[in-house]
């Protein structure tokens, strides 16, 4: 039995990750819903960006040596008690600073300007008139559409600053002090409603901060491999491969970095989609020649799920059993190594496909609900329970960057662009008890949904599309026979991050085809419904 032992992960927090060969932009998070969007925009310009807490000190920033600093917006008013503050020494570091919205007000307030309290937010589209040549608006003409979302606004300029643009409602929509490399915007250049916003960000990065375009997937992969090698040395690493995008890309990257020191464990919990186990074994075992331990634990899981109908109990049973199966599989790997008398027996490291949005420290002061981690989705607390240090090679990446990395590492499209699939698998799509027969019905229906979505080119355009088996039987007629059979619900949603979702207005012909195939081909189903609820108040999965 592997004894529980807590060892803090040695991997550096995001702020400590050193990429000295890169231009780096630090984004101080004051709680804006757009902070991550700013980080993405910067990275789209091939410049490395990192989100840090807004209370980072000037000394710490100096140590990190960024080429530039962006202050995000935020919901607070600079006058509010407890409003997030900034170390004012940051403004005299000589590093260029771009303040956006709340970031602008904070900058102005600290440097002797005046901010006018406004109980009403100015929200929506506006037109910016550019008054004076400035590096920020280089090449952008005399006016442009912009997006506003601010309460307070600037009433008097801080010393040394000039106005470079105004709007109908504000004389100080953009200001600068080029001597001290300080720039500020009242509007949001990062959102898509400011159509030329990207060019403003590019101007800041390249004309003001003189960044190099050196954040490319190729350079990331090389450096990530090097970091992994340094972290694990000649020790061995185990990774729980689910077949999802994140764990698959993590596996491919680690394999490139350390080859046979990596062993992946793939657990078949009996709740997988049709052919899933075979696909994962084919892609990773055969194509990539990754050491893959396949554990067929389906019977164990299905036995434990007998008679369980409560959704939370289902999830707990599955999560708990997953940890036990995983522990056992690791012990078997160990025993095998001992038997073979291999050197460096023992798996000190557990690799996970954790992504950047999961590790960004929230602004904390005031809290930023957008960056809360969906803890209930992480299966079973493996690292806390087991004797492992964590290896998380993707923790600097956003999801679309992970996909790019996957393609560059040679993973096929069917893995890199696949839809999310919940850890507890089909169990949370079978309402009521999970039995082999009900699994068979759902699996058959799901296969039809996936194949029709792919055939019509809709599979990759939506967030998720799947079948749900309801605990409802209804009357139908087939040939001359009366039937009394099951109901399948179709769930097809679009979403950015799974936190909110809307149902997709699918063409009727595709819905008709899916429905007709399911009732004709899946034994035990005589009715198909389409779920037209949004999240919130519904959720994407039914359990
Ligand atoms: P809900 O149902 O909460 O789902 O609206 C939001 C997104 O998360 C996925 N999901 C899970 N993913 N383990 C996972 O890895 C889980 O237990 C789990 N539950 C839901 C769901 O498919 C959707 O994309």
């Amino acid at each position: 039995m592997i004894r529980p032992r807590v060892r803090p992960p040695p991997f550096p927090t995001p702020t400590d990750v050193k990429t000295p060969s890169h231009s780096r932009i630090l984004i101080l998070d004051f709680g804006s819903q757009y902070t991550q969007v700013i980080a993405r925009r910067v990275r789209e310009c091939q410049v490395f960006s990192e989100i840090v807490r807004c209370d980072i000190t000037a000394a710490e920033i100096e140590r990190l040596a960024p080429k530039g600093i962006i202050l995000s917006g935020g919901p607070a008013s600079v006058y509010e008690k407890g409003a997030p503050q900034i170390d004012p020494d940051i403004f005299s570091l000589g590093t260029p600073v771009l303040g956006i919205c709340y970031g602008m007000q904070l900058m102005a307030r600290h440097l002797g300007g005046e901010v006018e309290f406004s109980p009403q937010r100015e929200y929506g589209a506006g037109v910016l008139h550019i008054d004076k040549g400035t590096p920020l608006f280089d090449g952008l003409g005399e006016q442009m559409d912009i997006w506003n979302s601010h309460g307070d606004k600037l009433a008097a300029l801080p010393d040394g600053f000039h106005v470079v643009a105004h709007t109908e409602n504000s004389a100080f929509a953009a200001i600068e002090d080029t001597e001290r490399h300080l720039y500020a915007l009242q509007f949001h250049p990062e959102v898509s409603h400011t159509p030329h916003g990207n060019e403003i960000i590019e101007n800041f990065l390249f004309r003001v901060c003189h960044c190099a375009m050196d954040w490319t997937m190729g350079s990331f992969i090389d450096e990530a491999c090097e970091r992994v090698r340094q972290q694990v040395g000649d020790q061995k690493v185990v990774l729980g491969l689910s077949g999802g995008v994140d764990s698959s890309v993590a596996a491919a990257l680690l394999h490139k970095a350390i080859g046979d020191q990596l062993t992946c464990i793939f657990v078949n919990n009996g709740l997988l989609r049709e052919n899933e186990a075979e696909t994962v074994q084919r892609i990773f075992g055969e194509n990539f020649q990754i050491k893959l331990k396949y554990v067929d634990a389906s019977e164990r899981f299905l036995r434990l799920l007998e008679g369980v109908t409560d959704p939370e109990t289902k999830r707990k049973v599955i999560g708990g059993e997953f940890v036990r199966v995983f522990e056992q599989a690791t012990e078997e790997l160990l025993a095998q190594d001992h038997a073979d008398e291999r050197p460096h027996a023992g798996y000190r490291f557990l690799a996970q496909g954790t992504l950047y949005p999961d590790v960004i420290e929230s602004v904390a002061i005031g809290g930023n609900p957008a960056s809360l981690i969906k803890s209930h989705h992480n299966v079973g607390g493996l690292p806390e329970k087991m004797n492992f240090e964590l290896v998380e090679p993707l923790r600097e990446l956003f999801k679309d960057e992970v996909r790019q990395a996957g393609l560059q590492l040679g993973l096929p499209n069917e893995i890199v662009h696949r839809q999310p699939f919940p850890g507890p698998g089909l169990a949370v799509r079978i309402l009521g008890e999970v039995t082999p027969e009900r699994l068979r019905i759902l699996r058959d229906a799901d296969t039809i949904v996936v194949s029709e979505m792919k055939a019509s080119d809709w599979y990759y355009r939506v967030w998720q599309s799947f079948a749900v088996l309801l605990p409802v039987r209804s009357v139908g007629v087939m040939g001359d026979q009366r039937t009394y059979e099951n109901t399948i619900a179709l769930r097809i949603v679009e979403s950015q991050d799974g936190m909110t979702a809307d149902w997709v207005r699918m063409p009727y012909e595709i819905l008709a085809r899916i429905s007709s195939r399911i009732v004709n081909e899946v034994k035990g189903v005589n009715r198909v419904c389409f779920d037209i609820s949004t999240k919130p108040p519904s959720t994407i999965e039914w359990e």
Side-chain angles (χ1 to χ4, degrees):
M1 183 63 202
I2 294 165
R3 293 277 149 241
R5 176 149 70 90
V6 178
R7 198 190 292 175
F11 203 76
T13 61
T15 337
D16 285 333
V17 173
K18 290 195 191 60
T19 44
S21 56
H22 283 133
S23 294
R24 180 206 296 255
I25 293 290
L26 288 186
I27 297 157
L28 272 56
D29 181 14
F30 292 93
S32 165
Q33 57 177 321
Y34 302 129
T35 302
Q36 290 194 26
V37 182
I38 303 173
R40 305 273 305 265
R41 294 283 172 264
V42 173
R43 290 190 185 190
E44 280 160 18
C45 300
Q46 294 184 16
V47 174
F48 181 65
S49 65
E50 239 182 323
I51 298 172
V52 292
R53 288 170 54 106
C54 58
D55 54 4
I56 186 170
T57 63
E60 176 68 359
I61 290 187
E62 224 170 0
R63 191 180 76 74
L64 294 166
K67 287 274 197 190
I69 298 165
I70 299 179
L71 314 180
S72 83
S77 158
V78 284
Y79 294 109
E80 240 168 68
K81 209 165 149 246
Q85 285 307 320
I86 188 169
D87 176 352
D89 290 347
I90 289 172
F91 298 118
S92 38
L93 284 174
T95 309
V97 182
L98 173 65
I100 296 175
C101 196
Y102 182 82
M104 174 199 224
Q105 291 144 18
L106 214 50
M107 183 189 284
R109 192 151 183 252
H110 276 289
L111 300 176
E114 228 174 83
V115 179
E116 200 172 72
F117 175 73
S118 158
Q120 260 176 348
R121 284 191 92 73
E122 183 185 358
Y123 185 79
V127 176
L128 184 78
H129 300 276
I130 298 165
D131 306 320
K132 173 181 174 294
T134 165
L136 276 194
F137 299 124
D138 219 40
L140 287 175
E142 288 176 0
Q143 68 178 54
M144 64 189 285
D145 294 334
I146 53 157
W147 187 258
N148 288 299
S149 172
H150 60 94
D152 300 353
K153 63 182 186 188
L154 205 58
L157 281 178
D159 293 341
F161 276 76
H162 304 279
V163 177
V164 284
H166 71 273
T167 64
E168 258 172 55
N169 294 329
S170 168
F172 307 111
I175 61 171
E176 67 177 21
D177 173 350
T178 45
E179 294 274 299
R180 287 186 286 175
H181 312 293
L182 302 177
Y183 300 81
L185 306 170
Q186 185 170 267
F187 58 94
H188 289 270
E190 70 276 23
V191 301
S192 56
H193 305 299
T194 301
H196 291 286
N198 282 359
E199 285 148 84
I200 300 176
I201 291 173
E202 272 174 28
N203 282 338
F204 178 67
L205 299 179
F206 301 119
R207 293 187 189 281
V208 176
C209 304
H210 305 293
C211 291
M213 292 170 78
D214 51 14
W215 171 251
T216 61
M217 226 2 100
S219 69
F220 166 79
I221 290 172
D222 291 344
E223 285 177 22
C225 285
E226 190 45 43
R227 277 206 296 269
V228 168
R229 283 187 214 110
Q230 279 179 15
Q231 188 190 354
V232 307
D234 57 4
Q235 302 285 318
K236 285 193 242 156
V237 180
V238 69
L239 178 144
L241 184 64
S242 70
V245 182
D246 307 344
S247 68
S248 298
V249 176
L253 195 142
L254 281 158
H255 182 63
K256 182 178 166 72
I258 56 170
D260 271 359
Q261 284 167 258
L262 170 74
T263 304
C264 294
I265 297 178
F266 179 78
V267 176
N268 183 347
N269 58 10
L271 307 163
L272 304 174
R273 286 159 294 188
E274 190 72 19
N275 292 329
E276 180 71 5
E278 293 77 10
T279 306
V280 170
Q281 290 183 85
R282 173 173 52 78
I283 290 172
F284 290 92
E286 291 168 27
N287 296 4
F288 267 86
Q289 272 134 25
I290 287 181
K291 276 210 282 186
L292 181 64
K293 184 173 173 64
Y294 170 71
V295 186
D296 185 356
S298 17
E299 279 185 20
R300 282 174 65 163
F301 279 87
L302 296 191
R303 211 175 315 120
L304 284 171
L305 285 170
E306 270 171 28
V308 179
T309 54
D310 175 62
E312 274 311 298
T313 316
K314 268 188 202 170
R315 278 176 179 275
K316 285 209 178 93
V317 166
I318 296 165
E321 189 60 4
F322 180 82
V323 175
R324 280 186 289 277
V325 172
F326 197 86
E327 278 178 347
Q328 215 172 342
T330 319
E331 280 173 41
E332 283 167 18
L333 287 176
L334 268 176
Q336 184 61 44
D337 277 357
H338 282 304
D340 297 348
E341 294 185 349
R342 292 210 192 120
H344 312 299
Y347 288 78
R348 256 187 67 200
F349 295 94
L350 174 76
Q352 287 189 332
T354 316
L355 303 194
Y356 196 39
D358 295 332
V359 294
I360 297 170
E361 270 191 272
S362 100
V363 57
I365 310 161
N368 176 6
S371 59
L372 290 182
I373 302 172
K374 291 182 284 174
S375 56
H376 73 285
H377 288 166
N378 298 332
V379 180
L382 273 178
E384 296 90 55
K385 277 202 71 194
M386 296 175 75
N387 183 19
F388 284 128
E389 284 179 14
L390 284 181
V391 183
E392 296 176 310
L394 309 179
R395 56 182 287 148
E396 289 174 286
L397 301 190
F398 287 107
K399 190 83 175 187
D400 53 334
E401 293 174 319
V402 170
R403 294 204 162 101
Q404 271 179 46
L407 289 175
Q408 194 136 344
L409 287 160
L411 285 173
N413 242 326
E414 68 176 306
I415 292 280
V416 169
H417 287 290
R418 64 187 0 200
Q419 295 177 358
F421 185 67
L426 299 179
V428 292
R429 296 178 181 172
I430 293 180
L431 276 69
E433 192 181 355
V434 179
T435 64
E437 173 59 5
R438 301 191 78 212
L439 267 167
R440 198 261 319 149
I441 293 176
L442 182 61
R443 215 171 253 141
D444 288 354
D446 185 70
T447 305
I448 292 173
V449 177
V450 173
S451 89
E452 288 302 326
M453 291 297 285
K454 283 189 173 164
S456 61
D457 258 0
W458 275 85
Y459 179 88
Y460 295 112
R461 286 159 67 179
V462 304
W463 174 262
Q464 268 171 308
S465 47
F466 56 86
V468 181
L469 177 60
L470 305 189
V472 174
R473 294 213 287 167
S474 69
V475 173
V477 55
M478 207 171 234
D480 293 335
Q481 299 273 320
R482 176 186 178 278
T483 58
Y484 187 56
E485 299 284 20
N486 292 285
T487 312
I488 286 285
L490 276 182
R491 185 77 166 135
I492 307 179
V493 293
E494 55 193 12
S495 170
Q496 291 299 316
D497 51 13
M499 305 288 272
T500 60
D502 195 5
W503 57 280
V504 179
R505 276 52 171 178
M506 291 292 295
Y508 284 167
E509 309 77 63
I510 299 171
L511 293 178
R513 194 166 158 75
I514 294 175
S515 160
S516 130
R517 278 197 60 193
I518 290 176
V519 287
N520 283 303
E521 296 172 33
V522 182
K523 196 168 156 282
V525 179
N526 66 356
R527 196 174 293 274
V528 176
C529 305
F530 188 46
D531 180 349
I532 52 167
S533 12
T534 57
K535 172 181 181 175
S538 300
T539 50
I540 296 176
E541 303 291 345
W542 277 46
E543 284 196 339

